[in-house]
């Protein structure tokens, strides 16, 4: 359990707000949400996340806008010495559960 906490702290120190093993999950929720723009700040993308982004484009036609933002490498919390973070945003496809009862 300490390993997961360390992963999250590493991601936060790298400028992101999601640990690297769960990047894909946040991006999935963003892609499936209602028709509005969602965004998230991430550290370096994992190979799995990059592959997952390709699948989202293939299955849903979702393309993420990726903005690189520079961060201060001398900042005390920047443990990994990274110089940038990624701000990813997309317009959700408006997925709805058709089995949900209409109330």
């Amino acid at each position: 359990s300490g390993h997961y906490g360390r992963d999250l702290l590493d991601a936060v120190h790298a400028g992101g707000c999601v640990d690297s093993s769960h990047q894909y999950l946040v991006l999935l929720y963003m892609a499936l949400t209602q028709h509005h723009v969602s965004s998230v700040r991430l550290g370096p993308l994992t190979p799995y996340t990059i592959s997952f982004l390709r699948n989202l484009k293939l299955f849903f036609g979702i393309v993420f806008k990726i903005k690189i933002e520079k961060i201060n490498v001398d900042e005390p919390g920047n443990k990994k010495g990274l110089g940038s973070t990624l701000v990813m945003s997309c317009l959700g496809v408006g997925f709805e559960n058709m089995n949900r009862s209409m109330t």
Side-chain angles (χ1 to χ4, degrees):
S1 66
H3 146 76
Y4 295 112
R6 195 170 328 119
D7 287 348
L8 178 58
L9 287 176
D10 285 346
V12 169
H13 286 308
C17 60
V18 178
D19 70 278
S20 59
S21 62
H22 293 95
Q23 290 174 340
Y24 78 95
L25 193 56
V26 172
L27 298 175
L28 174 64
Y29 291 148
M30 289 171 58
L32 295 178
T33 192
Q34 299 302 315
H35 296 286
H36 63 33
V37 176
S38 300
S39 63
V40 66
R41 180 181 306 274
L42 299 174
L45 297 180
T46 64
Y48 182 84
T49 301
I50 293 168
S51 176
F52 186 76
L53 287 168
R54 290 182 184 128
N55 287 334
L56 283 177
K57 182 178 180 182
L58 180 67
F59 297 137
F60 295 110
I62 294 285
V63 178
F64 280 78
K65 177 183 174 189
I66 302 174
K67 181 179 176 188
I68 300 172
E69 290 193 353
K70 300 290 182 191
I71 58 175
N72 183 0
V73 294
D74 297 324
E75 188 174 314
N78 192 3
K79 180 173 129 182
K80 293 191 176 188
L82 301 173
S84 62
T85 61
L86 303 174
V87 177
M88 301 187 64
S89 58
C90 76
L91 180 65
V93 296
F95 182 81
E96 292 184 27
N97 182 354
M98 300 307 276
N99 289 326
R100 193 167 130 201
S101 64
M102 303 297 277
T103 56

